[in-house]
Amino acid sequence: MGVFLPGSRGPGAARQVAPEPSASRPLVPAISGRAGAGPLLLPFAAAAVACCRGGAAREPAAGTREPPTRKRRVCTAGSRRQLARPPVGPPDRRTRTKSPALAEDAQPTESEKEIYNQVNVVLKDAEGILEDLQSYRGAGHEIREAIQHPADEKLQEKAWGAVVPLVGKLKKFYEFSQRLEAALRGLLGALTSTPYSPTQHLEREQALAKQFAEILHFTLRFDELKMTNPAIQNDFSYYRRTLSRMRINNVPAEGENEVNNELANRMSLFYAEATPMLKTLSDATTKFVSENKNLPIENTTDCLSTMASVCRVMLETPEYRSRFTNEETVSFCLRVMVGVIILYDHVHPVGAFAKTSKIDMKGCIKVLKDQPPNSVEGLLNALRYTTKHLNDETTSKQIRSMLQ
């Protein structure tokens, strides 16, 4: 398996042999955990850079060398960066002395393949779902005409004929959310199982970590598109009202076989949420923790907090940020960071905003605020309105004011 190459730009790119990473020169950021945890060398950081299409790291100019990073340590307590001497004494048990080689495309190992293949089947359909949602225009004109002229049967038939295929699309989106939920639960089971720590899982199972990040990226993109398209709920509400009226009048409904009453109820609850995909994943993560009581909750929360820290450090550290070749990679990291924060907040007993949280919320919010406002407003709204503990008394006034 090839190592991750900072200069790689796709399958057709010329590949150079990169040296095996070592303790003296890791290829990834050293993330210091809060509450005094030792540095965690996470190849997942480089995976997050490589997994976005076109987002490979920038190749150094010929004859130049990358600046060594072995003495740089990034503090998670804030955005402040400082140079640190190598630690004296025995290493923390969670510290990797040697960071494994990272495949650019994060190919699964034999132990990962079963879960990886199951999740990959779902992710292959994700882009098509987003394209369908982005092109969703709704039947607003036909519905308005039908409502304004209730006695005109032709207009009623025209509106119904326009809405039924759209409801078929909405059904497809909803069913995909159920498949995504199952995929997420499979990944959580693999990335939090004993005997390995969450950090070891992210290092050992890079392909699964990449898929986890891709699910969160898709989720935030889907919800951003849904929130800006009121036609979705308008179309579905009209469909349900018309279907109910048809039943009362004993009129056969063409679309009833497509979405029966029970499914329509579940879909109605799904689309009533401002961020339906994120709500689905939050509920799935909470359910995963409650159903696996023999698994320490820290296995799940530490996995999420570590991913949040990796994304934040890559975004706030010029040394790593400068390797991004396009803004889509930045958007990818931002969405993953926000996604894991929200999942953490729903699962952890005191949430992501408390002082005892392992996520540096001030640093994460600052990273978001440092981006162009129009590009992150949806992500800031997700933190404002889809988290569970933001308004708790344990949340500092400074964090609340940062999100106002």
Side-chain angles (χ1 to χ4, degrees):
M1 183 167 65
V3 296
F4 172 76
L5 301 176
S8 298
R9 296 185 180 274
R15 299 180 63 84
Q16 302 172 353
V17 178
E20 181 76 5
S22 65
S24 61
R25 186 177 178 181
L27 294 181
V28 294
I31 312 298
S32 293
R34 297 186 70 174
L40 311 176
L41 301 180
L42 297 180
F44 168 74
V49 178
C51 72
C52 192
R53 185 184 300 124
R58 187 178 295 117
E59 183 171 0
T64 63
R65 298 180 60 187
E66 292 274 45
T69 60
R70 62 182 180 272
K71 290 187 179 181
R72 181 171 293 276
R73 183 170 66 89
V74 182
C75 300
T76 59
S79 61
R80 167 171 58 96
R81 288 174 291 278
Q82 60 182 7
L83 294 177
R85 294 180 180 178
V88 179
D92 185 279
R93 62 184 177 86
R94 289 175 293 180
T95 302
R96 298 279 293 192
T97 57
K98 187 174 182 180
S99 179
L102 178 66
E104 180 189 356
D105 52 357
Q107 291 299 314
T109 61
E110 283 300 320
S111 61
E112 295 174 84
K113 276 188 177 178
E114 182 179 356
I115 296 294
Y116 179 90
N117 290 337
Q118 293 172 6
V119 176
N120 199 44
V121 170
V122 178
L123 286 174
K124 279 182 178 178
D125 295 333
E127 198 61 36
I129 293 290
L130 290 174
E131 288 173 1
D132 285 348
L133 179 57
Q134 196 158 19
S135 63
Y136 189 101
R137 294 293 176 263
H141 174 72
E142 293 85 350
I143 291 172
R144 282 192 299 273
E145 290 290 308
I147 291 174
Q148 290 170 5
H149 305 90
D152 191 324
E153 287 300 321
K154 286 187 177 180
L155 290 177
Q156 306 306 311
E157 290 176 5
K158 185 178 179 182
W160 181 250
V163 165
V164 168
L166 293 174
V167 169
K169 279 190 176 183
L170 297 181
K171 177 189 176 186
K172 178 183 174 183
F173 300 159
Y174 171 75
E175 289 175 340
F176 186 78
S177 77
Q178 305 306 294
R179 295 173 60 201
L180 202 68
E181 175 183 355
L184 179 80
R185 288 166 65 85
L187 288 174
L188 284 173
L191 293 173
T192 62
S193 61
T194 55
Y196 301 114
S197 70
T199 302
Q200 289 171 327
H201 274 299
L202 293 176
E203 290 178 333
R204 293 169 60 90
E205 291 143 9
Q206 296 169 19
L208 299 186
K210 173 185 169 182
Q211 286 183 321
F212 193 105
E214 287 175 338
I215 285 177
L216 292 171
H217 182 237
F218 164 84
T219 297
L220 271 295
R221 286 178 68 193
F222 181 96
D223 287 345
E224 286 168 7
L225 290 171
K226 186 267 178 185
M227 281 193 290
T228 57
N229 196 339
I232 290 175
Q233 283 181 275
N234 294 338
D235 292 349
F236 197 64
S237 295
Y238 177 80
Y239 171 83
R240 298 200 73 189
R241 290 196 308 271
T242 305
L243 192 61
S244 177
R245 189 165 60 247
M246 287 178 170
R247 287 200 192 102
I248 292 172
N249 297 329
N250 292 319
V251 176
E254 174 194 342
E256 187 170 9
N257 293 331
E258 180 78 16
V259 179
N260 59 36
N261 195 50
E262 182 185 351
L263 178 57
N265 288 336
R266 295 201 303 270
M267 288 174 60
S268 183
L269 291 173
F270 176 77
Y271 288 112
E273 296 288 341
T275 53
M277 284 289 179
L278 202 49
K279 170 68 172 171
T280 298
L281 296 194
S282 297
D283 290 347
T285 308
T286 303
K287 189 176 181 182
F288 171 83
V289 170
S290 64
E291 288 180 350
N292 293 273
K293 297 187 184 299
N294 59 327
L295 195 68
I297 191 173
E298 290 79 15
N299 285 28
T300 302
T301 55
D302 286 356
C303 175
L304 299 173
S305 63
T306 300
M307 291 177 70
S309 294
V310 167
C311 291
R312 175 182 57 77
V313 168
M314 286 197 298
L315 290 163
E316 73 180 6
T317 310
E319 183 180 343
Y320 304 119
R321 177 72 176 261
S322 65
R323 299 180 186 181
F324 297 166
T325 57
N326 63 46
E327 286 304 307
E328 183 58 26
T329 309
V330 175
S331 298
F332 176 89
C333 291
L334 289 169
R335 290 189 183 107
V336 174
M337 181 182 74
V338 170
V340 291
I341 288 171
I342 292 170
L343 295 186
Y344 182 101
D345 193 59
H346 278 263
V347 171
H348 197 280
V350 297
F353 301 97
K355 288 183 179 179
T356 55
S357 167
K358 291 186 178 179
I359 296 179
D360 174 16
M361 284 306 305
K362 292 178 185 176
C364 290
I365 295 170
K366 184 180 184 301
V367 165
L368 287 167
K369 294 265 189 168
D370 287 343
Q371 313 305 315
N374 60 336
S375 68
V376 295
E377 190 59 29
L379 297 178
L380 288 169
N381 284 336
L383 291 179
R384 291 176 185 125
Y385 305 122
T386 65
T387 48
K388 186 177 179 181
H389 295 278
L390 175 60
N391 295 318
D392 289 0
E393 293 181 358
T394 53
T395 302
S396 71
K397 292 181 179 178
Q398 185 178 359
I399 288 179
R400 289 183 191 176
S401 65
M402 289 176 77
L403 283 174
Q404 284 180 354

